Amino acid sequence: MSLTPGAHEPTRRQLSLFGVEAHDPTPADLAGLLAGPAQVVRMGGTARVSVEVDGAWRVHVLIAEFALRGLQATWELATVEGQLVVRTAYATTLAALGAAWLRTAVKRPPAGFHLNGPRLRLWAAAAGGSDQHGYVLRLGAPDEHCWEPVGAALAAIGLPGVLLGPRAGGPAYRITGRRRLGRLAELVGDRPAAAPPAEWPG
């Protein structure tokens, strides 16, 4: 995969340490999906991650990203019209992720949760898109207790977002401003071939 080199400004160089090019793909990157609308289920010493998406291109991108991490995946039509569901197979390599996010029966970010380029890339692939004000990363509607720590994780990597409630088209975080949008684009890396340009950061 071809990746765009980081800019030469000191600040941008520092941020690139969190970017896609600085990390090998691992199953732990699926924490980025869980920061958004995805869910995780545990079974014995394995776990499975699933997420509803609104377009076929997202299915193609996610399945390819899962394959990079040694994860098999399937997809099917969701009960909601126009929605698709992408699921990984149950895998022992996702067990730690499931244990970290399901300390109770409810999905919660673990202590010390952080975001980086690969995690943001998966989040953008599953639930990101541009609007007239910036770039929006959708959250899980039933996961209100996750919204604040996820927002703090965005801010920690220089991407403070505006939380949009359900009445404003959310739940989601909207990233605005040329500099922040540039950082987001650098962190998530090159646009996948299947992704429409308008739906990918940058």
Side-chain angles (χ1 to χ4, degrees), residues 56-69 121-122 124-126 191-196 200:
W57 74 265
R58 299 187 190 276
V59 175
H60 289 293
V61 174
L62 287 174
I63 288 178
E65 292 286 344
F66 294 161
L68 287 175
R69 293 159 175 84
R121 184 177 180 85
L122 291 178
R191 176 176 63 87
W200 196 255

Side-chain angles (χ1 to χ4, degrees), residues 129-140:
S130 299
D131 67 8
Q132 60 181 333
H133 302 293
Y135 194 83
V136 174
L137 291 162
R138 292 193 300 279
L139 301 159

Side-chain angles (χ1 to χ4, degrees), residues 173-197:
Y173 276 104
R174 178 188 285 142
I175 310 298
T176 61
R178 180 181 298 179
R179 184 174 181 181
R180 291 173 185 168
L181 291 171
R183 289 178 178 180
L184 177 61
E186 181 182 358
L187 288 169
V188 300
D190 284 352
R191 176 176 63 87

Side-chain angles (χ1 to χ4, degrees), residues 36-144:
Q39 300 296 322
V40 61
V41 177
R42 300 171 69 190
M43 183 175 69
T46 68
R48 179 184 72 185
V49 173
S50 62
V51 62
E52 285 194 10
V53 300
D54 61 7
W57 74 265
R58 299 187 190 276
V59 175
H60 289 293
V61 174
L62 287 174
I63 288 178
E65 292 286 344
F66 294 161
L68 287 175
R69 293 159 175 84
L71 299 168
Q72 297 182 343
T74 58
W75 68 274
E76 64 183 20
L77 294 175
T79 54
V80 178
E81 186 177 355
Q83 294 288 102
L84 305 164
V85 179
V86 185
R87 293 188 180 92
T88 71
Y90 282 100
T92 56
T93 54
L94 293 172
L97 188 71
W101 282 78
L102 291 178
R103 289 163 294 166
T104 65
V106 180
K107 183 183 86 171
R108 293 181 183 274
F113 169 68
H114 67 280
L115 289 165
N116 56 26
R119 294 179 179 191
L120 281 169
R121 184 177 180 85
L122 291 178
W123 189 1
S130 299
D131 67 8
Q132 60 181 333
H133 302 293
Y135 194 83
V136 174
L137 291 162
R138 292 193 300 279
L139 301 159
D143 303 329
E144 188 171 354

